[in-house]
Amino acid sequence: MVFFGRGRAWTLLATLGLLCCCNFNKSRASRTSGTISGQVKQEEGASSLERVKRGWVWNQFFVVEEYTGTEPLYVGKIHTDSDVGEGNIKYTISGEGAGSIFLIDELTGDIHATERLDREEKAFYTLRAQARDRLTDEPLEPESEFVIKVQDINDSEPQFLEGPYIGSVAELSPIGTSVMKVTASDADDPTYGNSARVVYSVLDGEKFFTVDRHTGIIMTAVADLDRETQDRYELVVKATDMAGQMGGLSGSTTVTIVITDVNDNPPRFPQKMYQFSVSEGAAVGTPVGRVIATDADMGENTDMSYLIREGGELFKVTTDVETQEAVVAIKKQLDFESKRTHNVVVEAVNKHVDPRFVDLGSFRDQTIVRVSVSDVDEPPIFQPADGTTMEVQEDAKVGALVGVVTARDPDVKNKPIRFSIDRTTDQEMIFYIDPESGAITLGKIVDREIACWHNITVKAEEADNHTMASFSPVSIRILDVNDNPPELATPSEASICEDAKPGQLIHTISVVDRDEPQSGHRFYFTLAPEASSNRHFTLRDVKDNTAGIHTQRSGFNRHEQNVYFLPILVVDSGSPSLSSTGTLTIHVCGCDTDGAIQSCNATAYVMSAALSPGALIALLVCMLILIVLVLLILTLKRHRKGQRMTEDEEDMRDNVIKYNDEGGGEQDTQAYDMSALRNLYDFPESKSDSGPDIRSLPQWLQANRVGGGADGAAAAAPADFSLFESYIRKKVEQADADLSVPPYDSFQTYAFEGSSSPALSLSSINTLSTTSEQDFSYLSDWGPRFRQLAGYYAPERPEKEGS
């Protein structure tokens, strides 16, 4: 099958066809098939092959993009050598765009493009061609694949797809310093012609920057770019295809180039002198003022530090890291009277200096800060300022001069000063101060032995302005005088053994003296005049402020004399010297063979010998036994008392409970005491279990029992209650006369229930006068407390038993 193109394709087809045909004729004779399509015919017999004549096969078409004609664009023609022109062959195509974009004439094999093609959207289409028998629709040859390429035209301009472009370059960079690179893309075919060959140029800003024609690298064109003059530039870069030739398409973009800062500018103070004012009373550290040096640079290149070149004795400078200001503050207290104006030289220095620009000049600047000190009214100043120490002897009299404090007014006016003592530091008013001269005198006698130091506070204030006051501590030391005699140190007692030998040291005495002489203590010891005739002991001065007591004889007997009193005279070395007499008590004691003291008292010695450890233990045991016995007796008494109280509480016969009022009810135990009635009769408990003894019953009940009749069947005689009635009547009269007792209706009587009650009596006592089949003899088995009740309910005895 042969493919025929058109236009430029025909020329290329002829050239390539000639070359291919020549190569084809030189091929081996056994070759039986073409490159794209062909047919192998088998004749009769399988052993013989016949080579069929073939034409040149062309499998690629070209179509120009962006065709704008009104008729379909002819692409090419397919043809097979089997077609002899009789019209019995049908050509068909299939694949990409077949039937829609590309149509084929079935009879002639001509292919046309019906749509406008764009190479940038699709560069080629792959299709398959088929020759079939028109009648049977059988394929005459195998399918052949061919390609329709869209031939490029320069219809796409270059585009900067990565824009907008922003680059940066440091100021003062040399010429040719690379800034950044821009790239333009062209959608045309880079393999065909110059449609995609792009070159670059600068349209705007070419005075300061250039761009490489082929690479698109932007570079500096001058060496004096200054950020402080202009910190950014806007360039317009153009890209043109067709290698910049006439008729090429172009596109442009804007490039922003930022000039970065370098430290090429030193700090500068806007003024060469600043003036501030501050009060002389301002505290140390108080800011006086702020100054700032400007720097045309930016960022860390503006960081600077400040220092004082002159005037650093009274002032200091610090740097505010946020505002980059120099803060001038007071370093020492200012004094208007000493100096009223101070000139401080402040210098600003860049922290980060670029060595490349050192030759541009010094990266520091100076200014003068003039500080004027204003006068204020200041409190007096003591001299010395840290306090005064004074001394006075303890024997000084009232009004004696202790010392003088001085103070002055530091102001120019030098106002008069008045002094006083802060009485919170001298509540006892021991000292007095003259308000005008400041002389401190004694107001009371002082004693060094009570207080050797006194600390007071003196106040100095202006005479006409009491708010201007200052205070100063004054320490007063009380000097010692010899006004206390020496005394023997305690304890002033000693002991000797009965068998002490002559010349034996028995005690060393020492002295205490409340005074403290500057030259130290020196004491002298002698026996008092009244002890000059002493023949038992002697005193020897050791010369080191102590003395030794020695025995003068032997043979001491504590039973004859167990205590000796030795008066000793002690004299100090003061001026005038003072003395005192102390008594040393010497006990005569019994000692063992080793000289250890056993006892210094005869009676105590005998008692100690009599009371051995065993005797002491026995004595303690006896005391313990006595204590236990006392505790047992107390416990038994308490136990008996508790039992008695329990029995009294259980015996409820002593109370009559009242139920006919609306009082406390059954819980009310403030009833009438029946103990008086019970004393009239004796109700002893029955001794017999068979029945109550008639003698144990009341007299009125005995009479009733006795008067029952000989046969025991007669009715009981009525009881005589006259005794009860007279007793109760007497009590009622007493209650009516006594206003402190309740009225009569609060009493209850149980002797008689009355005879007119319609409900009759509910008391079980009536069973004594009635016949009942119930036997209450079992009550006597309940114990002694129920025997009396059992006697009430005992059955009547026959007459023969009663006789």
Side-chain angles (χ1 to χ4, degrees), residues 376-380 409 411 415 417-418 459-470:
V376 295
D377 192 3
E378 300 175 85
D409 185 4
D411 297 324
K415 298 178 181 179
I417 305 298
R418 295 293 179 265
K459 177 182 179 182
E461 60 186 8
E462 293 182 2
D464 58 349
N465 187 0
H466 299 297
T467 60
M468 291 291 104
S470 57

Side-chain angles (χ1 to χ4, degrees), residues 498 557-559 562 588-593 596-612:
E498 289 180 307
N557 189 342
R558 58 177 170 160
H559 298 288
N562 62 343
V588 180
C589 303
C591 302
D592 57 13
T593 57
I597 296 175
Q598 296 295 322
S599 176
C600 296
N601 188 287
T603 304
Y605 180 78
V606 173
M607 291 182 63
S608 63
L611 293 177
S612 62

Side-chain angles (χ1 to χ4, degrees), residues 98-119:
S100 58
I101 299 176
F102 302 103
L103 300 178
I104 187 171
D105 190 325
E106 296 181 354
L107 184 60
T108 62
D110 294 334
I111 300 174
H112 291 82
T114 61
E115 295 182 7
R116 183 178 179 180
L117 302 181
D118 189 355
R119 190 201 66 83

